[in-house]
Amino acid sequence: MQFKKIVTISLNPALDITLSVDGLVPEKINSVISQQTDAAGKAVNIAKLLSSFGVNPHLITFAGNENFDKYFKHLRAASPALECETLIVDGSTRENLHIVLPDESLVTVRQNGFTVSEKDISDITEKVAAHLAPETLFIISGRFPDGFSSDDFRNLCRVISEHGGLLAVDSNSVSYDDLIAVKPFIIKPNLDELRDLTGLPLSDKSEIKKVLGELSRFGLKNILLSLGADGLVYYGKDLSLHAVPPKVKVLSAVGAGDCTLAGFILSRLLGLDIPTAVKTATSFGSAAVSLPGTKTPSEQEVVNIFNQVSITEF
């Protein structure tokens, strides 16, 4: 076990509204079969899952003043015990619409949210600094809000690292150079994000393994690569694994990657070895897609899939 405390940092939270519809045909009235609203954002999803499994993470988040009450109504309903520290900024927390079609494909309409100021960035850095301690894992997950730059990200990571904190990063706002500069303890891109990071097609296993090896040599210690229905790849200095889940009926893939990362972190926090942690992470992600919205899977739902996950050397 290399960390004992967890702080999740949500720079750009969201309200996720998931609609299951009977179809999506232009110039036709399409009916909603079911609807779910979740207080979300990648770091928030991770915090909610960890809290539901008995871990006590500390969530630090921006939130827009225009829909603050609406956002926190849903957050408290989902995670009443979650320890949360909020910095309220001008504007609205973004509200995203996810439309699940009858063939299980997903249409997402993403809003822009608030813009943060230099003072907002300074204030949230101070809130993070108040929790700095060795053996603390800081999770920075989700896209950056307008006004938050790559330099701001690197500075926040520098503050954490200089005080012995560990970093977990999952954000498509982060560049390859950013990752090399801050050297996170854990990263979790999906395959499309890794292609965007590298500018490479990554069309076969050998290309993927070469890129993961380069990242590892630059000092990134735990790399989780999500392959969707094809499972999860783990790459570390002395170990590479590929876990494949069983086929499940997909209700919503929104937040599944967050559950995957949370499952790995939870496993390592509990002292489980890497192969078990990778199987657990895969089980969390697979269980998540079988649920509506960004609903957190239960322990039994995860266990049911864990027993069907195969794992081999990558």
Side-chain angles (χ1 to χ4, degrees):
M1 186 190 305
Q2 294 171 286
F3 50 90
K4 295 179 179 178
K5 179 183 175 183
I6 296 173
V7 176
T8 63
I9 304 168
S10 182
L11 300 170
N12 198 9
L15 272 166
D16 278 349
I17 303 165
T18 304
L19 306 178
S20 294
V21 299
D22 63 355
L24 196 61
V25 181
E27 300 183 13
K28 176 183 179 295
I29 295 176
N30 303 281
S31 297
V32 174
I33 299 169
S34 65
Q35 176 174 340
Q36 180 164 326
T37 301
D38 298 290
K42 295 177 74 64
V44 174
N45 294 338
I46 292 168
K48 288 193 301 182
L49 186 146
L50 293 173
S51 180
S52 73
F53 276 78
V55 176
N56 187 30
H58 186 83
L59 170 64
I60 299 174
T61 181
F62 284 127
N65 59 8
E66 293 178 8
N67 55 354
F68 175 88
D69 290 342
K70 181 180 179 181
Y71 185 84
F72 277 89
K73 171 188 172 184
H74 289 284
L75 180 60
R76 288 303 175 208
S79 299
L82 179 61
E83 190 178 291
C84 181
E85 194 172 355
T86 308
L87 180 62
I88 301 175
V89 300
D90 290 336
S92 292
T93 298
R94 58 201 174 104
E95 300 186 18
N96 298 328
L97 185 62
H98 306 284
I99 304 172
V100 183
L101 303 180
D103 64 358
E104 300 177 358
S105 59
L106 181 70
V107 176
T108 295
V109 181
R110 179 178 289 135
Q111 287 185 338
N112 289 327
F114 48 71
T115 298
V116 295
S117 66
E118 289 185 11
K119 183 179 185 306
D120 294 331
I121 296 166
S122 175
D123 288 347
I124 205 166
T125 303
E126 287 184 12
K127 286 184 179 293
V128 170
H131 295 274
L132 290 171
E135 298 184 307
T136 300
L137 179 70
F138 293 82
I139 305 169
I140 303 176
S141 189
R143 64 175 55 238
F144 300 163
D146 290 343
F148 193 92
S149 68
S150 173
D151 286 343
D152 295 322
F153 168 74
R154 293 192 189 195
N155 180 63
L156 181 59
C157 293
R158 178 187 57 77
V159 170
I160 292 169
S161 298
E162 285 181 352
H163 290 81
L166 298 170
L167 281 165
V169 174
D170 181 15
S171 171
N172 58 11
S173 297
V174 174
S175 70
Y176 189 92
D177 288 343
D178 289 334
L179 290 177
I180 300 308
V182 305
K183 295 179 173 51
F185 183 65
I186 304 170
I187 63 168
K188 194 218 66 64
N190 61 37
L191 186 54
D192 285 340
E193 289 167 342
L194 189 63
R195 287 171 175 145
D196 290 342
L197 279 171
T198 62
L200 299 172
L202 303 180
S203 54
D204 59 47
K205 178 179 174 179
S206 62
E207 287 184 344
I208 294 171
K209 196 165 185 177
K210 181 180 178 181
V211 166
L212 298 182
E214 289 174 352
L215 288 170
S216 179
R217 285 190 290 276
F218 276 120
L220 282 70
K221 297 189 182 304
N222 298 277
I223 304 168
L224 299 169
L225 175 63
S226 176
L227 303 178
D230 293 324
L232 181 69
V233 169
Y234 170 85
Y235 198 97
K237 181 180 178 182
D238 301 313
L239 182 65
S240 59
L241 300 167
H242 182 199
V244 180
K247 290 184 178 180
V248 298
K249 179 178 174 61
V250 177
L251 291 184
S252 173
V254 180
D258 309 328
C259 286
T260 298
L261 178 55
F264 182 81
I265 289 169
L266 175 63
S267 300
R268 296 300 285 158
L269 181 68
L270 296 174
L272 302 180
D273 61 24
I274 291 290
T276 305
V278 172
K279 282 189 69 174
T280 303
T282 304
S283 304
F284 268 95
S286 187
V289 302
S290 67
L291 300 171
T294 56
K295 186 177 178 183
T296 297
S298 68
E299 182 177 352
Q300 190 57 55
E301 287 165 333
V302 173
V303 169
N304 289 344
I305 291 177
F306 181 90
N307 295 328
Q308 302 176 69
V309 173
S310 64
I311 189 164
T312 56
E313 185 177 347
F314 182 69

